[in-house]
Amino acid sequence: MSILSKVFGTKNDREVKKISQVVEKVNAFDAAAKALTDDQLKAKTEEFKNRLQNKKESLTSVLPEAFAVCREAAVRILKMRHYDVQIIGGIVLHEGRIAEMKTGEGKTLTATLPVYLNALTGRGVHVVTVNDYLASRDAEWMGELYSYLGLSVGTIKNGISESERRAAYKADITYGTANEFGFDYLRDNMKTEVERMVQREHHFVIVDEVDSILIDEARTPLIISGPAESSLELYAIVNAAIPGIQKDSDYIFDEKSRTVTLTEDGINKLEKRLKLDNLYDPQNIDYLHHVQQALKAHVSFKKDVDYVVRDGQVLIVDEHTGRLMKGRRFSDGLHGALEAKEHVKVQQETQTLATITLQNFFRMYDKLSGMTGTADTEAVEFHKIYTLDVVCIPTNKPLIRDDREDVIYRSQREKFNVIANDIADAQKRGQPVLVGTVSVEKSELVSSLLDKLQIPHEILNAKNHLREAEIVAKAGQSGSVTISTNMAGRGTDIVLGDGVKEAGGLFVVGTERHESRRIDNQLRGRSGRQGDPGRTQFYLSLEDDLMRIFASDKLSAVMGRLGMEEGEAIASPMVTRAIARAQKRVEEQNFGSRKHLLEYDDVMNQQRQVIYRLRKQALHANQRLDFLPQATIDIAVSNLQENSPEATNTSHWEFDKLEALLTRVFHTPIRLAELDSEDANLEGLAQVTEEQVTAAYIEKLKKVPEETRIRLESWVYLQVIDKSWKNHLSAMDSLKDSVSLRGYGQRDPLQEYKKEAFKLFSDLMARINQETTSALVSVEVPDEAEIETPVHDDFDEEQMTFKHAEASAAARAPQGGQEDNMIYHGAQQQPANQSAPKIETIKRDGDKIGRNDPCPCGSGKKYKKCHGLAGSMSEDSHP
């Protein structure tokens, strides 16, 4: 700490001091709030709403009294009273910042203050948690308080129906996970009826465990996908060629970046096994892709560390929590490669239909805030990406936990033997022990050592998560030993049993350091809550992954010079600093990955907003589509150019041929005979065509009611938008993969991506307008006065997959870790009131028409540029 900081305090100290002045105003209303009867206290909510209407008062001016009312209501309903430090946290959240509050300081109760205040606007408040269990728990727990104060509460969780979602979003306060909020946003923008949309505006959101959601999860975008055509046989063929290839001679494995690169010998060996002349020949691109993913599956990804196999399925283990991520799949074919490696059934791959990153989803909110026990280490990223400032909230009681210096051993064998002995000593003293491990494999290793010492214990990992609540509830009892992956790190509170404080409180054992300092701090935070005693200790070895990759060379030399004996350890601040530096390097690398991903997604985000705005306009359409005349001209110009005198080497326009052509294209009689063929020009002919097409279109639709005409136009427009957007997403994915290689040509891949993405999007917009126009002018209107608009199912959810997936190669950071290929396939229920569309087989009567054959309609154009284009648009109206 600098001399100036010692004299004037840190910036955080000054912020807390400034906020404390508002806390005094809140406390000034305490006596008045306590004097109110229950009915008078409840009536305050309506009073606040009336004061806020017409902007007579602001939320900031109402805050002190509203916070006092909420605190008094909590005393009466929950038997809990907000501490002054929780008031500080509530103010920070209301201001749209991040409140860092230590474990056990009551973040859930703290959030009720800004939630209540902002819900008074009637615009809805979203509270985001890390899993469905916490969303349901917090909504039910704090819901009693909100209901008492006259506010409604809803919960969004996996598996509920569309109508239940809509009702939950209409509530004043809505709890749910980031995935559910994000997927509902994407689904809403695939709906073809306004009434079926579930979300309303994105006003104010509080993200619990904000570092986990906005940092850890942010590298993996949300994706909704449908089935895609792919060859499943290649997975087995390539997988059979991988065993037996040797490290260093056949491939190079970089553990820091988790990348695998074939050597010349490896390439030759695989070409012989796969019976290929050249693995890198363009026609073998599918083989090359499968080889790269199979190598990653066999070399970089470990069973019972990165994934487990259960019931014939490969299930991902979340590296941050240790939980099984059911329904999630690694992307880019990696999951299929793992399934082939483990000899289970390879599942079908998918095609992207809608996608958004968590960064861009949460940046849509008018006001974003968050809370966690560990945010300060990522303060720079929060500010750069989300313009969120972090304020560290003081603890209610002084922290007396004993955080010991890390100890380091030569080998993992020595380290784990010492851990087992120290656990045995703590148990004899009656001190409960929580053992934190980084993988399922390590948790089972510790368990086996304790079994040999006959020490009873519980194990909590991805293979044994069903008893989580029961195991955590007993973890603070005298003499209990709990081995856990990072599952016990967030949203849990370990309460100490009788006599445990006298025994020294909870003893937290870290079996190795994680890549992220935040996860280590979360583990430490299980001990020493609310002024309780506790002790934490991390045990390391030179064989640990983090030490071996990043920090072992110098330490190994030091330990060698010291002449250390078997089982002997060193413990010094130097060790801790060396590890912190290694962790910081990994964190910076991960930040670069997320920032790089966001730079690419910002391009897509601008395009997404335009498309979704078009969809919204179509859904709320109350007038004719204004682009029809210009789009008609564009279509006419395209056809006229191919038949101009210059293109056909004639001296003048051939009106008879042009009339026949345009009549077929627009399904409307076109007359050009009155024009002078010698003076005619492209623009004039197109304008005349547009006038006749528009007049015929208006006349044709006179027979239907105006409302029906608008619904028809809207439906056709939405169909074309959705089909074109789906194809555009596929093109953008391919573009990302292709531009990543342009760096070798001294060109910036991001700038290349932006340039080509702009061209693709310009083409997309023109194509949407032209295809919509072409479809509308071609429509045949029945004679009946009443016409039912065609029913268009938004999507068949039984064939949809909901992914949380990493962007493709161009937006991927060098380290290529587990998250770099993660996809979320969430099991979704078909809404009760929605039946799956009937699927029929369409048989072709005549011969198949080639894409480059002349179109049978007689237009003179190739089939792919005439009716073949329209056919491709309508083939998959149901993704």
Side-chain angles (χ1 to χ4, degrees), residues 609-638:
Q609 289 175 347
V610 172
I611 291 297
Y612 286 177
R613 187 161 58 244
L614 290 179
R615 292 192 93 262
K616 192 173 183 180
Q617 290 171 356
L619 286 172
H620 295 85
N622 55 13
Q623 58 186 6
R624 294 189 186 280
L625 300 175
D626 58 6
F627 60 76
L628 288 176
Q630 182 58 49
T632 303
I633 290 176
D634 292 341
I635 296 171
V637 166
S638 176

Side-chain angles (χ1 to χ4, degrees), residues 29 69 168 220 277 299 346:
F29 282 100
V69 166
T220 55
D277 293 331
V299 177
V346 178

Side-chain angles (χ1 to χ4, degrees), residues 203-379:
H203 170 49
F204 175 50
V205 61
I206 295 178
V207 182
D208 191 13
E209 306 298 355
V210 65
D211 55 322
S212 175
I213 293 172
L214 296 191
I215 300 291
D216 298 333
E217 296 287 333
R219 276 159 59 191
T220 55
L222 303 174
I223 300 176
I224 294 179
S225 294
E229 296 181 8
S230 61
S231 174
L232 300 183
E233 293 78 12
L234 267 183
Y235 287 105
I237 293 171
V238 173
N239 183 71
I242 298 298
I245 62 172
Q246 303 297 317
K247 184 179 180 182
D248 296 331
S249 60
D250 295 329
Y251 66 88
I252 308 292
F253 177 43
D254 185 345
E255 289 192 77
K256 289 185 181 181
S257 61
R258 293 187 75 178
T259 57
V260 188
T261 307
L262 283 171
T263 64
E264 286 294 330
D265 289 343
I267 293 170
N268 293 334
K269 188 176 289 186
L270 286 174
E271 285 174 344
K272 288 179 181 177
R273 294 182 180 184
L274 295 171
K275 299 178 181 177
L276 300 174
D277 293 331
N278 181 2
L279 180 61
Y280 290 86
D281 189 296
Q283 68 181 10
N284 294 327
I285 188 69
D286 286 343
Y287 274 97
L288 177 60
H289 175 72
H290 280 75
V291 164
Q292 291 169 335
Q293 298 297 19
L295 280 170
K296 196 179 238 185
H298 280 266
V299 177
S300 183
F301 283 71
K302 300 176 183 176
K303 184 178 179 182
D304 290 337
V305 177
D306 301 302
Y307 65 93
V308 299
V309 178
R310 179 178 294 176
D311 300 328
Q313 290 183 307
V314 171
L315 303 178
I316 299 171
V317 176
D318 188 338
E319 67 170 311
H320 300 294
T321 65
R323 299 175 189 272
L324 283 182
M325 304 166 84
K326 290 186 177 179
R328 294 200 182 190
R329 290 179 66 83
F330 293 115
S331 67
D332 288 342
L334 175 60
H335 210 95
L338 288 168
E339 289 167 332
K341 170 189 172 184
E342 298 297 339
H343 304 290
V344 300
K345 182 180 178 181
V346 178
Q347 304 297 321
Q348 182 69 47
E349 294 300 321
T350 57
Q351 176 185 359
T352 300
L353 302 180
T355 177
I356 191 171
T357 59
L358 288 178
Q359 290 111 317
N360 276 320
F361 173 71
F362 282 109
R363 293 197 303 185
M364 290 193 306
Y365 282 87
D366 298 333
K367 185 164 63 173
L368 166 65
S369 64
M371 51 188 182
T372 181
T374 48
D376 197 41
T377 57
E378 312 291 348

Side-chain angles (χ1 to χ4, degrees), residues 596-612:
H596 201 50
L597 167 63
L598 187 60
E599 288 172 340
Y600 278 84
D601 191 65
D602 279 343
V603 177
M604 176 65 77
N605 193 50
Q606 293 172 12
Q607 298 181 0
R608 182 190 303 111
Q609 289 175 347
V610 172
I611 291 297
Y612 286 177

Side-chain angles (χ1 to χ4, degrees), residues 772-805:
T772 303
T773 299
S774 179
L776 286 173
V777 299
S778 304
V779 71
E780 295 295 332
V781 182
D783 292 332
E784 291 81 0
E786 291 295 330
I787 301 175
E788 289 296 326
T789 303
V791 177
H792 168 55
D793 291 333
D794 305 315
F795 44 83
D796 179 2
E797 291 195 9
E798 291 184 355
Q799 295 190 39
M800 306 302 285
T801 53
F802 299 82
K803 313 174 183 175
H804 195 162

Side-chain angles (χ1 to χ4, degrees), residues 40 67-68 169-170 200 286 584 603 690 708 775 778 834:
Q40 290 172 330
F67 273 28
Y169 282 113
K170 284 182 178 178
R200 47 180 177 154
D286 286 343
K584 193 171 182 180
V603 177
E690 184 274 322
T708 303
S778 304
Q834 177 183 335

Side-chain angles (χ1 to χ4, degrees), residues 425-438:
D425 291 341
Q427 189 192 43
K428 290 176 184 176
R429 297 193 302 270
Q431 186 176 23
V433 182
L434 175 66
V435 186
T437 63
V438 297

Side-chain angles (χ1 to χ4, degrees), residues 752-769:
E752 293 287 308
Y753 177 73
K754 288 180 178 179
K755 182 173 63 178
E756 297 205 19
F758 176 77
K759 183 179 183 303
L760 281 175
F761 190 67
S762 298
D763 293 344
L764 168 71
M765 297 301 293
R767 188 165 58 253
I768 287 174
N769 292 348

